[in-house]
Amino acid sequence: MIRVLLADDQSLVRAGFRALLDAQPDIDVAAEAADGEDALRKVRELRPDVVLMDIRMPLLDGLAATRRITGDGELTGVKVVMLTTFELDEYVFEAIRSGASGFLVKDTEPEELLRAVRAVVEGDALLSPGVTRRLIAEFAARSKEPVAAGALTELTEREREVMALVGIGLSNEEIARRLVVSPLTAKTHVSRTMVKLGARDRAQLVVLAYESGLVRPGWLG
């Protein structure tokens, strides 16, 4: 059973999400929160698998709450998915950098919401290639000098290659075609790379690919 915490200051939004999620045989809404402080308390108490976190909330906004969750070593199993009104929300970039596993727009199709909740629990990519490329465009616009790439020394040459392809926004299927391997093999390489680098998910691999200098904005095409 996938346990979900809904954090949004709009009761109507929470009610809609709860009705959809609770109707699924494998998903249970463990609790709701109307502000970031309450969300943080309930995450620490209940340890849900996924938090659907609104960015803009009173007392403590979703971005700050996400930083506290992803920075707490005792909450490493909790995945945070940010909820936004617009795909290009000004805080999406910082949310991913802060450790969120991805984001969803509030008017997303019900099937997409359910797929996202299940995918993030399994450790798969929540961000679509198109969304990843928009994040990459943000990195390109905000790029500074890359940090030292010492953390990448544990990676094999193939894992570095795969990480670079993730960094430019390719899906597992696209990576498989590029490297002439099976999608399962590509996914395995991505998973091993995340483990070696301590990345929570694919979104953080994009961050690390840029911050290490493995991928640079000039690669955008």
Side-chain angles (χ1 to χ4, degrees):
M1 184 68 71
I2 300 171
R3 300 172 68 247
V4 177
L5 172 69
L6 297 175
D8 194 295
D9 61 342
Q10 298 182 40
S11 58
L12 189 60
V13 171
R14 296 197 310 272
F17 281 176
R18 175 182 277 276
L20 174 64
L21 295 170
D22 274 345
Q24 307 307 306
D26 60 334
I27 300 176
D28 174 60
V29 176
E32 298 180 19
D35 61 71
E37 290 285 4
D38 191 28
L40 199 55
R41 283 193 297 271
K42 288 175 178 174
V43 166
R44 288 171 174 159
E45 176 187 353
L46 302 172
R47 306 294 172 89
D49 300 299
V50 180
V51 181
L52 294 180
M53 180 88 74
D54 188 22
I55 286 183
R56 296 179 178 86
M57 289 188 294
L59 300 183
L60 184 70
D61 65 44
L63 193 59
T66 296
R67 286 196 186 109
R68 295 191 191 181
I69 292 170
T70 60
D72 189 333
E74 296 184 357
L75 300 176
T76 53
V78 180
K79 302 291 187 180
V80 179
V81 177
M82 306 302 298
L83 299 172
T84 70
T85 305
F86 305 103
E87 281 193 352
L88 297 180
D89 189 295
E90 61 183 304
Y91 296 114
V92 166
F93 175 88
E94 293 302 331
I96 299 300
R97 193 165 192 166
S98 298
S101 295
F103 70 95
L104 290 171
V105 289
K106 290 185 179 180
D107 62 352
T108 191
E109 293 295 324
E111 296 78 10
E112 178 65 15
L113 173 65
L114 297 173
R115 186 200 69 79
V117 168
R118 293 177 177 124
V120 76
V121 168
E122 294 172 2
D124 290 338
L126 173 56
L127 303 178
S128 68
V131 170
T132 303
R133 291 183 182 111
R134 283 197 292 277
L135 285 172
I136 289 170
E138 287 284 340
F139 277 107
R142 304 175 186 213
S143 180
K144 300 177 181 178
E145 287 297 312
V147 298
L152 304 186
T153 56
E154 294 185 14
L155 302 183
T156 65
E157 191 62 33
R158 176 46 63 92
E159 287 166 349
R160 288 167 66 93
E161 186 177 12
V162 167
M163 182 177 176
L165 295 175
V166 170
I168 62 173
L170 299 191
S171 66
N172 288 344
E173 289 73 20
E174 290 170 327
I175 291 172
R177 288 196 295 271
R178 180 76 67 90
L179 300 180
V180 195
V181 298
S182 72
L184 179 58
T185 297
K187 182 178 179 180
T188 298
H189 283 310
V190 172
S191 297
R192 287 177 179 169
T193 302
M194 289 194 298
V195 169
K196 287 185 177 181
L197 296 179
R200 292 171 64 95
D201 48 45
R202 194 185 195 92
Q204 281 202 320
L205 272 189
V206 175
V207 175
L208 292 172
Y210 272 82
E211 292 189 335
S212 68
L214 182 63
V215 177
R216 293 179 175 82
W219 290 23
L220 281 172

mmCIF file with all atom_site columns, all heavy atoms in Angstrom, residues 76-91:
data_model
loop_
_atom_site.group_PDB
_atom_site.id
_atom_site.type_symbol
_atom_site.label_atom_id
_atom_site.label_alt_id
_atom_site.label_comp_id
_atom_site.label_asym_id
_atom_site.label_entity_id
_atom_site.label_seq_id
_atom_site.pdbx_PDB_ins_code
_atom_site.Cartn_x
_atom_site.Cartn_y
_atom_site.Cartn_z
_atom_site.occupancy
_atom_site.B_iso_or_equiv
_atom_site.pdbx_formal_charge
_atom_site.auth_seq_id
_atom_site.auth_comp_id
_atom_site.auth_asym_id
_atom_site.auth_atom_id
_atom_site.pdbx_PDB_model_num
ATOM 1   N N   . THR A 1 76 ? 14.647 9.577  4.625   1.00 0.00 ? 76 THR A N   1
ATOM 2   C CA  . THR A 1 76 ? 15.156 9.307  3.284   1.00 0.00 ? 76 THR A CA  1
ATOM 3   C C   . THR A 1 76 ? 14.181 8.524  2.415   1.00 0.00 ? 76 THR A C   1
ATOM 4   O O   . THR A 1 76 ? 14.259 8.579  1.192   1.00 0.00 ? 76 THR A O   1
ATOM 5   C CB  . THR A 1 76 ? 16.481 8.528  3.348   1.00 0.00 ? 76 THR A CB  1
ATOM 6   O OG1 . THR A 1 76 ? 16.297 7.347  4.158   1.00 0.00 ? 76 THR A OG1 1
ATOM 7   C CG2 . THR A 1 76 ? 17.581 9.378  3.955   1.00 0.00 ? 76 THR A CG2 1
ATOM 8   N N   . GLY A 1 77 ? 13.252 7.801  3.028   1.00 0.00 ? 77 GLY A N   1
ATOM 9   C CA  . GLY A 1 77 ? 12.296 7.033  2.249   1.00 0.00 ? 77 GLY A CA  1
ATOM 10  C C   . GLY A 1 77 ? 11.095 7.832  1.777   1.00 0.00 ? 77 GLY A C   1
ATOM 11  O O   . GLY A 1 77 ? 10.260 7.318  1.025   1.00 0.00 ? 77 GLY A O   1
ATOM 12  N N   . VAL A 1 78 ? 11.008 9.093  2.201   1.00 0.00 ? 78 VAL A N   1
ATOM 13  C CA  . VAL A 1 78 ? 9.867  9.927  1.837   1.00 0.00 ? 78 VAL A CA  1
ATOM 14  C C   . VAL A 1 78 ? 10.166 10.688 0.548   1.00 0.00 ? 78 VAL A C   1
ATOM 15  O O   . VAL A 1 78 ? 11.158 11.409 0.460   1.00 0.00 ? 78 VAL A O   1
ATOM 16  C CB  . VAL A 1 78 ? 9.535  10.939 2.963   1.00 0.00 ? 78 VAL A CB  1
ATOM 17  C CG1 . VAL A 1 78 ? 8.345  11.810 2.559   1.00 0.00 ? 78 VAL A CG1 1
ATOM 18  C CG2 . VAL A 1 78 ? 9.250  10.208 4.270   1.00 0.00 ? 78 VAL A CG2 1
ATOM 19  N N   . LYS A 1 79 ? 9.321  10.526 -0.454  1.00 0.00 ? 79 LYS A N   1
ATOM 20  C CA  . LYS A 1 79 ? 9.481  11.233 -1.721  1.00 0.00 ? 79 LYS A CA  1
ATOM 21  C C   . LYS A 1 79 ? 8.533  12.430 -1.751  1.00 0.00 ? 79 LYS A C   1
ATOM 22  O O   . LYS A 1 79 ? 7.370  12.308 -1.371  1.00 0.00 ? 79 LYS A O   1
ATOM 23  C CB  . LYS A 1 79 ? 9.149  10.315 -2.896  1.00 0.00 ? 79 LYS A CB  1
ATOM 24  C CG  . LYS A 1 79 ? 9.993  9.035  -2.952  1.00 0.00 ? 79 LYS A CG  1
ATOM 25  C CD  . LYS A 1 79 ? 11.426 9.326  -3.289  1.00 0.00 ? 79 LYS A CD  1
ATOM 26  C CE  . LYS A 1 79 ? 12.204 8.028  -3.501  1.00 0.00 ? 79 LYS A CE  1
ATOM 27  N NZ  . LYS A 1 79 ? 13.614 8.280  -3.823  1.00 0.00 ? 79 LYS A NZ  1
ATOM 28  N N   . VAL A 1 80 ? 9.045  13.561 -2.211  1.00 0.00 ? 80 VAL A N   1
ATOM 29  C CA  . VAL A 1 80 ? 8.225  14.772 -2.298  1.00 0.00 ? 80 VAL A CA  1
ATOM 30  C C   . VAL A 1 80 ? 7.960  15.116 -3.757  1.00 0.00 ? 80 VAL A C   1
ATOM 31  O O   . VAL A 1 80 ? 8.890  15.213 -4.555  1.00 0.00 ? 80 VAL A O   1
ATOM 32  C CB  . VAL A 1 80 ? 8.902  15.966 -1.611  1.00 0.00 ? 80 VAL A CB  1
ATOM 33  C CG1 . VAL A 1 80 ? 8.030  17.222 -1.741  1.00 0.00 ? 80 VAL A CG1 1
ATOM 34  C CG2 . VAL A 1 80 ? 9.183  15.661 -0.144  1.00 0.00 ? 80 VAL A CG2 1
ATOM 35  N N   . VAL A 1 81 ? 6.688  15.287 -4.082  1.00 0.00 ? 81 VAL A N   1
ATOM 36  C CA  . VAL A 1 81 ? 6.287  15.737 -5.408  1.00 0.00 ? 81 VAL A CA  1
ATOM 37  C C   . VAL A 1 81 ? 5.620  17.091 -5.245  1.00 0.00 ? 81 VAL A C   1
ATOM 38  O O   . VAL A 1 81 ? 4.638  17.225 -4.512  1.00 0.00 ? 81 VAL A O   1
ATOM 39  C CB  . VAL A 1 81 ? 5.311  14.746 -6.073  1.00 0.00 ? 81 VAL A CB  1
ATOM 40  C CG1 . VAL A 1 81 ? 4.844  15.288 -7.429  1.00 0.00 ? 81 VAL A CG1 1
ATOM 41  C CG2 . VAL A 1 81 ? 5.971  13.381 -6.244  1.00 0.00 ? 81 VAL A CG2 1
ATOM 42  N N   . MET A 1 82 ? 6.179  18.110 -5.882  1.00 0.00 ? 82 MET A N   1
ATOM 43  C CA  . MET A 1 82 ? 5.646  19.455 -5.743  1.00 0.00 ? 82 MET A CA  1
ATOM 44  C C   . MET A 1 82 ? 4.411  19.648 -6.615  1.00 0.00 ? 82 MET A C   1
ATOM 45  O O   . MET A 1 82 ? 4.359  19.150 -7.745  1.00 0.00 ? 82 MET A O   1
ATOM 46  C CB  . MET A 1 82 ? 6.696  20.498 -6.137  1.00 0.00 ? 82 MET A CB  1
ATOM 47  C CG  . MET A 1 82 ? 8.027  20.378 -5.414  1.00 0.00 ? 82 MET A CG  1
ATOM 48  S SD  . MET A 1 82 ? 7.901  20.469 -3.601  1.00 0.00 ? 82 MET A SD  1
ATOM 49  C CE  . MET A 1 82 ? 7.227  22.120 -3.385  1.00 0.00 ? 82 MET A CE  1
ATOM 50  N N   . LEU A 1 83 ? 3.435  20.361 -6.088  1.00 0.00 ? 83 LEU A N   1
ATOM 51  C CA  . LEU A 1 83 ? 2.227  20.706 -6.828  1.00 0.00 ? 83 LEU A CA  1
ATOM 52  C C   . LEU A 1 83 ? 2.300  22.180 -7.225  1.00 0.00 ? 83 LEU A C   1
ATOM 53  O O   . LEU A 1 83 ? 2.548  23.033 -6.370  1.00 0.00 ? 83 LEU A O   1
ATOM 54  C CB  . LEU A 1 83 ? 0.985  20.464 -5.977  1.00 0.00 ? 83 LEU A CB  1
ATOM 55  C CG  . LEU A 1 83 ? 0.743  19.030 -5.523  1.00 0.00 ? 83 LEU A CG  1
ATOM 56  C CD1 . LEU A 1 83 ? -0.416 18.978 -4.532  1.00 0.00 ? 83 LEU A CD1 1
ATOM 57  C CD2 . LEU A 1 83 ? 0.464  18.133 -6.708  1.00 0.00 ? 83 LEU A CD2 1
ATOM 58  N N   . THR A 1 84 ? 2.115  22.470 -8.486  1.00 0.00 ? 84 THR A N   1
ATOM 59  C CA  . THR A 1 84 ? 2.182  23.848 -8.957  1.00 0.00 ? 84 THR A CA  1
ATOM 60  C C   . THR A 1 84 ? 0.957  24.185 -9.791  1.00 0.00 ? 84 THR A C   1
ATOM 61  O O   . THR A 1 84 ? 0.279  23.304 -10.317 1.00 0.00 ? 84 THR A O   1
ATOM 62  C CB  . THR A 1 84 ? 3.447  24.085 -9.807  1.00 0.00 ? 84 THR A CB  1
ATOM 63  O OG1 . THR A 1 84 ? 3.302  23.394 -11.048 1.00 0.00 ? 84 THR A OG1 1
ATOM 64  C CG2 . THR A 1 84 ? 4.687  23.603 -9.108  1.00 0.00 ? 84 THR A CG2 1
ATOM 65  N N   . THR A 1 85 ? 0.689  25.465 -9.908  1.00 0.00 ? 85 THR A N   1
ATOM 66  C CA  . THR A 1 85 ? -0.425 25.913 -10.740 1.00 0.00 ? 85 THR A CA  1
ATOM 67  C C   . THR A 1 85 ? -0.022 25.962 -12.203 1.00 0.00 ? 85 THR A C   1
ATOM 68  O O   . THR A 1 85 ? -0.811 25.650 -13.094 1.00 0.00 ? 85 THR A O   1
ATOM 69  C CB  . THR A 1 85 ? -0.905 27.307 -10.291 1.00 0.00 ? 85 THR A CB  1
ATOM 70  O OG1 . THR A 1 85 ? -1.231 27.246 -8.898  1.00 0.00 ? 85 THR A OG1 1
ATOM 71  C CG2 . THR A 1 85 ? -2.133 27.739 -11.063 1.00 0.00 ? 85 THR A CG2 1
ATOM 72  N N   . PHE A 1 86 ? 1.235  26.317 -12.454 1.00 0.00 ? 86 PHE A N   1
ATOM 73  C CA  . PHE A 1 86 ? 1.743  26.406 -13.820 1.00 0.00 ? 86 PHE A CA  1
ATOM 74  C C   . PHE A 1 86 ? 3.015  25.584 -13.941 1.00 0.00 ? 86 PHE A C   1
ATOM 75  O O   . PHE A 1 86 ? 3.823  25.531 -13.027 1.00 0.00 ? 86 PHE A O   1
ATOM 76  C CB  . PHE A 1 86 ? 2.040  27.857 -14.195 1.00 0.00 ? 86 PHE A CB  1
ATOM 77  C CG  . PHE A 1 86 ? 0.871  28.782 -14.004 1.00 0.00 ? 86 PHE A CG  1
ATOM 78  C CD1 . PHE A 1 86 ? 0.814  29.638 -12.926 1.00 0.00 ? 86 PHE A CD1 1
ATOM 79  C CD2 . PHE A 1 86 ? -0.193 28.770 -14.903 1.00 0.00 ? 86 PHE A CD2 1
ATOM 80  C CE1 . PHE A 1 86 ? -0.256 30.480 -12.731 1.00 0.00 ? 86 PHE A CE1 1
ATOM 81  C CE2 . PHE A 1 86 ? -1.279 29.605 -14.719 1.00 0.00 ? 86 PHE A CE2 1
ATOM 82  C CZ  . PHE A 1 86 ? -1.316 30.454 -13.634 1.00 0.00 ? 86 PHE A CZ  1
ATOM 83  N N   . GLU A 1 87 ? 3.227  24.954 -15.117 1.00 0.00 ? 87 GLU A N   1
ATOM 84  C CA  . GLU A 1 87 ? 4.411  24.131 -15.325 1.00 0.00 ? 87 GLU A CA  1
ATOM 85  C C   . GLU A 1 87 ? 5.698  24.923 -15.153 1.00 0.00 ? 87 GLU A C   1
ATOM 86  O O   . GLU A 1 87 ? 6.703  24.399 -14.700 1.00 0.00 ? 87 GLU A O   1
ATOM 87  C CB  . GLU A 1 87 ? 4.384  23.497 -16.719 1.00 0.00 ? 87 GLU A CB  1
ATOM 88  C CG  . GLU A 1 87 ? 3.488  22.293 -16.827 1.00 0.00 ? 87 GLU A CG  1
ATOM 89  C CD  . GLU A 1 87 ? 3.719  21.514 -18.092 1.00 0.00 ? 87 GLU A CD  1
ATOM 90  O OE1 . GLU A 1 87 ? 4.472  21.995 -18.958 1.00 0.00 ? 87 GLU A OE1 1
ATOM 91  O OE2 . GLU A 1 87 ? 3.162  20.414 -18.204 1.00 0.00 ? 87 GLU A OE2 1
ATOM 92  N N   . LEU A 1 88 ? 5.683  26.183 -15.527 1.00 0.00 ? 88 LEU A N   1
ATOM 93  C CA  . LEU A 1 88 ? 6.883  26.996 -15.446 1.00 0.00 ? 88 LEU A CA  1
ATOM 94  C C   . LEU A 1 88 ? 6.894  27.862 -14.196 1.00 0.00 ? 88 LEU A C   1
ATOM 95  O O   . LEU A 1 88 ? 7.397  28.976 -14.205 1.00 0.00 ? 88 LEU A O   1
ATOM 96  C CB  . LEU A 1 88 ? 7.025  27.862 -16.711 1.00 0.00 ? 88 LEU A CB  1
ATOM 97  C CG  . LEU A 1 88 ? 7.208  27.067 -17.999 1.00 0.00 ? 88 LEU A CG  1
ATOM 98  C CD1 . LEU A 1 88 ? 7.336  28.004 -19.189 1.00 0.00 ? 88 LEU A CD1 1
ATOM 99  C CD2 . LEU A 1 88 ? 8.425  26.161 -17.916 1.00 0.00 ? 88 LEU A CD2 1
ATOM 100 N N   . ASP A 1 89 ? 6.334  27.337 -13.130 1.00 0.00 ? 89 ASP A N   1
ATOM 101 C CA  . ASP A 1 89 ? 6.355  28.038 -11.861 1.00 0.00 ? 89 ASP A CA  1
ATOM 102 C C   . ASP A 1 89 ? 7.795  28.448 -11.532 1.00 0.00 ? 89 ASP A C   1
ATOM 103 O O   . ASP A 1 89 ? 8.725  27.672 -11.697 1.00 0.00 ? 89 ASP A O   1
ATOM 104 C CB  . ASP A 1 89 ? 5.824  27.106 -10.760 1.00 0.00 ? 89 ASP A CB  1
ATOM 105 C CG  . ASP A 1 89 ? 5.600  27.818 -9.445  1.00 0.00 ? 89 ASP A CG  1
ATOM 106 O OD1 . ASP A 1 89 ? 6.602  28.270 -8.864  1.00 0.00 ? 89 ASP A OD1 1
ATOM 107 O OD2 . ASP A 1 89 ? 4.444  27.917 -9.018  1.00 0.00 ? 89 ASP A OD2 1
ATOM 108 N N   . GLU A 1 90 ? 7.958  29.678 -11.062 1.00 0.00 ? 90 GLU A N   1
ATOM 109 C CA  . GLU A 1 90 ? 9.304  30.194 -10.812 1.00 0.00 ? 90 GLU A CA  1
ATOM 110 C C   . GLU A 1 90 ? 10.065 29.385 -9.773  1.00 0.00 ? 90 GLU A C   1
ATOM 111 O O   . GLU A 1 90 ? 11.298 29.447 -9.707  1.00 0.00 ? 90 GLU A O   1
ATOM 112 C CB  . GLU A 1 90 ? 9.220  31.654 -10.349 1.00 0.00 ? 90 GLU A CB  1
ATOM 113 C CG  . GLU A 1 90 ? 8.449  31.824 -9.056  1.00 0.00 ? 90 GLU A CG  1
ATOM 114 C CD  . GLU A 1 90 ? 8.305  33.279 -8.651  1.00 0.00 ? 90 GLU A CD  1
ATOM 115 O OE1 . GLU A 1 90 ? 9.340  33.948 -8.516  1.00 0.00 ? 90 GLU A OE1 1
ATOM 116 O OE2 . GLU A 1 90 ? 7.167  33.737 -8.482  1.00 0.00 ? 90 GLU A OE2 1
ATOM 117 N N   . TYR A 1 91 ? 9.364  28.603 -8.955  1.00 0.00 ? 91 TYR A N   1
ATOM 118 C CA  . TYR A 1 91 ? 10.034 27.854 -7.904  1.00 0.00 ? 91 TYR A CA  1
ATOM 119 C C   . TYR A 1 91 ? 10.344 26.408 -8.283  1.00 0.00 ? 91 TYR A C   1
ATOM 120 O O   . TYR A 1 91 ? 10.966 25.688 -7.494  1.00 0.00 ? 91 TYR A O   1
ATOM 121 C CB  . TYR A 1 91 ? 9.189  27.871 -6.628  1.00 0.00 ? 91 TYR A CB  1
ATOM 122 C CG  . TYR A 1 91 ? 9.011  29.244 -6.034  1.00 0.00 ? 91 TYR A CG  1
ATOM 123 C CD1 . TYR A 1 91 ? 7.760  29.840 -5.994  1.00 0.00 ? 91 TYR A CD1 1
ATOM 124 C CD2 . TYR A 1 91 ? 10.098 29.946 -5.523  1.00 0.00 ? 91 TYR A CD2 1
ATOM 125 C CE1 . TYR A 1 91 ? 7.586  31.113 -5.450  1.00 0.00 ? 91 TYR A CE1 1
ATOM 126 C CE2 . TYR A 1 91 ? 9.939  31.210 -4.982  1.00 0.00 ? 91 TYR A CE2 1
ATOM 127 C CZ  . TYR A 1 91 ? 8.687  31.788 -4.947  1.00 0.00 ? 91 TYR A CZ  1
ATOM 128 O OH  . TYR A 1 91 ? 8.530  33.039 -4.415  1.00 0.00 ? 91 TYR A OH  1
#
